[in-house]
Amino acid sequence: MPLFLEPDQTFDVWLDSDQHKPIESRPVFVAKSQSMRGQQRIATVLDRMYQDEDSPSPEQLFCDAQDVLADALTGWRNMGDVKYPTDVREFLTYQEARELMGKIMFNQHVSAEEKKS
């Protein structure tokens, strides 16, 4: 069955900078699996971030990134005092938002073996 048709299919994703932290305390984002349409929406925002000509304002790019992440994320854990849902612009950097969008776009699921590390 296609991944997107699995009911409530989510996966954990984290920033590369957190990959060496123990899984029990690692800051983790919980994301919904993306269909091609969802992947296209994320890719459009990511592509716009790299355009040189006629690129949108930083404010518009940051708002678009926040919208994509708000739609793709279903929660997070181990984020200290930052409780879900919160506007990710309050605690992510531009680079971190791009990294998360890329991982979510490609439905980068983590294997059970990786979760143990």
Side-chain angles (χ1 to χ4, degrees), residues 12 16 19 29 31 35 46 58-59 81 91 98 104 109 117:
D12 292 349
D16 290 345
Q19 68 185 356
F29 295 87
S35 67
L46 286 171
E59 179 181 357
D81 293 334
F91 65 96
R98 289 189 333 201
I104 294 167
H109 291 75
S117 63

Side-chain angles (χ1 to χ4, degrees), residues 18 23 26 45 92 106:
D18 292 327
I23 192 68
R26 182 181 301 157
V45 172
L92 288 178
F106 291 111

Side-chain angles (χ1 to χ4, degrees), residues 19-87:
Q19 68 185 356
H20 298 295
K21 294 179 180 175
I23 192 68
E24 306 81 36
S25 61
R26 182 181 301 157
V28 171
F29 295 87
V30 182
K32 292 186 283 190
S33 295
Q34 299 295 303
S35 67
M36 287 176 63
R37 191 168 309 279
Q39 290 173 315
Q40 181 180 6
R41 181 173 179 228
I42 295 170
T44 298
V45 172
L46 286 171
D47 285 349
R48 288 175 61 213
M49 289 179 162
Y50 293 105
Q51 289 177 352
D52 289 331
E53 298 175 21
D54 300 323
S55 60
S57 68
E59 179 181 357
Q60 185 61 53
L61 285 174
F62 292 3
C63 286
D64 291 348
Q66 188 280 329
D67 290 345
V68 163
L69 289 172
D71 185 52
L73 295 174
T74 64
W76 52 67
R77 34 184 206 281
N78 302 325
M79 298 287 186
D81 293 334
V82 181
K83 303 300 179 206
Y84 180 84
T86 298
D87 185 334

